[in-house]
């Protein structure tokens, strides 16, 4: 028996507003009316298999995993999951902000069918894995996003799941904790746990997963051995880059922009760019930059800058500054670099992201390709007022 069996799954989100419109849509559903998150998706996952799901932002990955987790129901199709399921979906989902981390561990464990005694037996291991010290007994609302991830993953990984779902959440963790999580996932897989794994780090997908599903605009584009599917997905991403057209800006989302200027010695080319996620204060975002080598680069550096409408730099970084070296490029080689960061809360306005790939060091480098204003982000009016350019989280202590 397979762990997961899905046949003909489809899901459409209606373009309606107001309670009456939603009721009318439910009673008289038009299959062509709305946003098609999934269309006729069929796949199965064998028991003990690690199964990856890749695709660009908005391809339907999260919708599919929410169906497997039982959070969403498909409009059409059938879905069966066999075994105790633990899911690490949207960061902190299922956690009460007012409960402590320890209380949330007990709550989530009881939902999965564990007794209080069984959870208590695991609590020492969970606390050691999360490694947040005394914060485990403080309300979750006082946690950073990284702390939430630590407790959520530790709880999910220590409840003896038969099916574990991981949906991009590891992107917010520091590199040491991410490595610990990946080791734990490999351990669970060795014990026979079925893994459904979504990540924008295609290297992790290839290292962990036997087979992979590529979703494109809600449809199955390709399914098969992970190496082959991931390679096809990356090729498509690179090929699509140079044909990107300017898109109408949507509040909080980054869209491809007509570059203001482009220069460099041409030894590498920025082939694709995408900001994954919606820009709002504290949101966990991924800036993806795909680079194609046109000639050898011994010490590549990939970076970005965010500027406001006046052209003032708000912030930026690169792989050298973050001490994350990129392997040398050969002619014809391809590389994808993901920058993971928590979005600062910005004042309303339009912002543009410029991208660059260079060769050398921070002190001495040659620009291979610079793409000015490659992406545009619109922060709408009407949010919380921001003094100056951005608002930084601040904790206050008062003593008498």
């Amino acid at each position: 028996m397979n762990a997961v069996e899905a046949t003909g799954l489809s899901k459409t989100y209606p373009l309606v507003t107001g309670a009456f419109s939603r009721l009318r849509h439910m009673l008289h559903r038009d299959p062509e009316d709305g946003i098609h998150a999934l269309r006729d998706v069929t796949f199965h996952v064998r028991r003990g298999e690690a199964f990856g799901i890749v695709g660009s932002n908005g391809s339907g990955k999260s919708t599919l995993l929410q169906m497997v987790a039982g959070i969403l129901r498909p409009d059409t199709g059938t879905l069966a999951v066999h075994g105790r399921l633990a899911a690490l979906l949207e960061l902190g989902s299922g956690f009460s902000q007012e409960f402590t981390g320890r209380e949330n561990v007990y709550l989530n464990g009881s939902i999965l069918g564990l007794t209080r005694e069984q959870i208590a037996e695991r609590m020492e291991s969970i606390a050691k894995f999360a490694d947040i010290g005394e914060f485990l007994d403080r309300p979750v609302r006082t946690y950073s996003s990284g702390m939430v991830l630590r407790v959520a993953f530790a709880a999910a990984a220590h409840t003896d799941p038969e099916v574990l779902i991981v949906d991009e959440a590891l992107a917010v963790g520091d590199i040491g904790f991410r490595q610990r999580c990946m080791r734990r996932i490999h351990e669970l897989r060795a014990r026979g746990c079925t893994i459904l794994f979504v990540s924008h780090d295609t290297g992790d997908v290839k290292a962990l997963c036997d087979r992979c599903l590529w979703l494109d605009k809600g449809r199955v584009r390709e399914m098969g051995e992970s190496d082959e599917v991931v390679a096809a997905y990356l090729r498509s991403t690179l090929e699509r880059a140079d044909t990107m057209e300017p898109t109408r800006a949507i509040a909080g989302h980054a869209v491809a922009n007509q570059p203001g200027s482009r220069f460099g010695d041409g030894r590498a080319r920025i082939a694709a760019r995408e900001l994954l996620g919606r820009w709002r204060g504290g949101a966990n975002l991924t800036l993806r930059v795909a680079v194609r080598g046109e000639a050898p680069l011994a010490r590549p550096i990939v970076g970005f800058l965010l500027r406001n409408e006046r052209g003032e730099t708000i912030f930026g970084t690169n792989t050298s500054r973050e001490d994350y070296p990129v392997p040398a490029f050969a002619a014809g080689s391809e590389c994808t670099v993901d920058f993971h960061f928590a979005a600062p809360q910005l004042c309303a306005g339009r912002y543009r992201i410029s991208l660059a790939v260079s060769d050398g060091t921070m002190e001495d480098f040659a620009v291979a390709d610079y793409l000015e204003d490659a992406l545009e982000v619109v922060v709408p009016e009407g949010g919380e007022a921001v003094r100056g350019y951005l608002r930084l989280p601040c904790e206050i202590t008062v003593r008498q």
Side-chain angles (χ1 to χ4, degrees), residues 258-273:
Q258 284 284 25
S261 63
R262 188 170 202 159
F263 64 85
D265 60 25
R267 288 183 293 151
R269 185 173 181 83
I270 296 166
R273 70 273 194 194

Side-chain angles (χ1 to χ4, degrees), residues 3-74:
V4 180
E5 296 175 325
T7 305
L9 298 181
S10 295
K11 183 69 176 179
T12 301
Y13 294 105
L15 292 172
V16 296
T17 57
F20 179 74
S21 296
R22 285 193 294 271
L23 176 61
R24 184 172 58 186
H25 175 83
M26 292 173 63
L27 296 176
H28 306 284
R29 177 169 294 172
D30 182 349
E32 297 303 318
D33 180 22
I35 299 173
H36 301 285
L38 292 177
R39 293 189 187 221
D40 194 28
V41 173
T42 298
F43 69 98
H44 71 274
V45 183
R46 298 184 290 264
R47 285 190 180 276
E49 181 182 20
F51 188 81
I53 303 174
V54 298
S56 60
N57 200 34
S59 62
K61 304 185 303 297
S62 294
T63 296
L64 179 58
L65 289 193
Q66 288 177 44
M67 286 184 183
V68 177
I71 298 171
L72 290 177
R73 300 181 67 176

